[in-house]
Amino acid sequence: METKPSQRERLLRYAAENYGTTPEYPWDGTPDAAVLRHMGNQKWYGLLMRIPSEKLGLAPGGTADILNVKCSPLETGSLRQKPGIFPAYHMNKTHWITILLDGTLPEPELFWLLDESYTLTMPKPRKRKEVHP
């Protein structure tokens, strides 16, 4: 019997197919923590981790797969009102949110938030110097 890929696996596949991103695993002490970053400017647009569930105010004793994404400071408050979205764990809480990867947040919305984070962290166009005659 074939098992359905986890939401984390589907998210990593989505990032690979849509952005050509290969996750990086930069920390030996947390081998399941994966960074998603832009190829051009090396900025993070996603961070996947497994953390103790009590860090999110959930029942103690378990673990939770999460995704941190960047979002507009104008949206963080309203997004955190949705089930499955929390203040950013281990990141700037004004610009980042944490999403619980347990299926609470519908996958189209999860992918949309990843898309938004990707857009917000894209390399900025370089300003052209004006040439004065």
Side-chain angles (χ1 to χ4, degrees):
M1 184 164 123
E2 191 174 320
T3 61
K4 182 178 177 183
S6 69
Q7 195 166 40
R8 176 189 171 102
E9 292 166 331
R10 292 189 303 278
L11 185 78
L12 289 172
R13 187 176 325 123
Y14 180 88
E17 290 172 358
N18 289 276
Y19 306 119
T21 301
T22 301
E24 297 175 23
Y25 298 89
W27 302 288
D28 292 335
T30 52
D32 55 352
V35 173
L36 304 175
R37 72 170 80 221
H38 284 273
M39 288 186 225
N41 64 7
Q42 298 301 302
K43 286 188 177 183
W44 295 9
Y45 68 93
L47 172 62
L48 292 130
M49 296 187 296
R50 182 167 293 132
I51 63 171
S53 54
E54 58 264 20
K55 298 284 186 180
L56 298 177
L58 303 173
T63 59
D65 280 327
I66 62 167
L67 169 68
N68 284 348
V69 292
K70 189 167 190 174
C71 64
S72 164
L74 299 173
E75 296 177 352
T76 54
S78 60
L79 286 170
R80 288 191 310 231
Q81 300 303 310
K82 294 181 176 220
I85 298 182
F86 299 85
Y89 173 74
H90 219 346
M91 302 285 274
N92 179 309
K93 289 168 182 28
T94 302
H95 297 276
W96 291 78
I97 57 172
T98 290
I99 304 167
L100 185 60
L101 297 179
D102 70 346
T104 300
L105 190 70
E107 218 150 84
E109 193 168 352
L110 171 67
F111 293 155
W112 180 83
L113 287 166
L114 187 66
D115 293 340
E116 285 295 302
S117 185
Y118 186 85
T119 300
L120 287 169
T121 55
M122 285 178 76
K124 305 290 185 248
R126 295 185 75 168
K127 291 184 180 179
R128 294 175 56 154
K129 291 184 180 180
E130 291 184 30
V131 178
H132 297 284

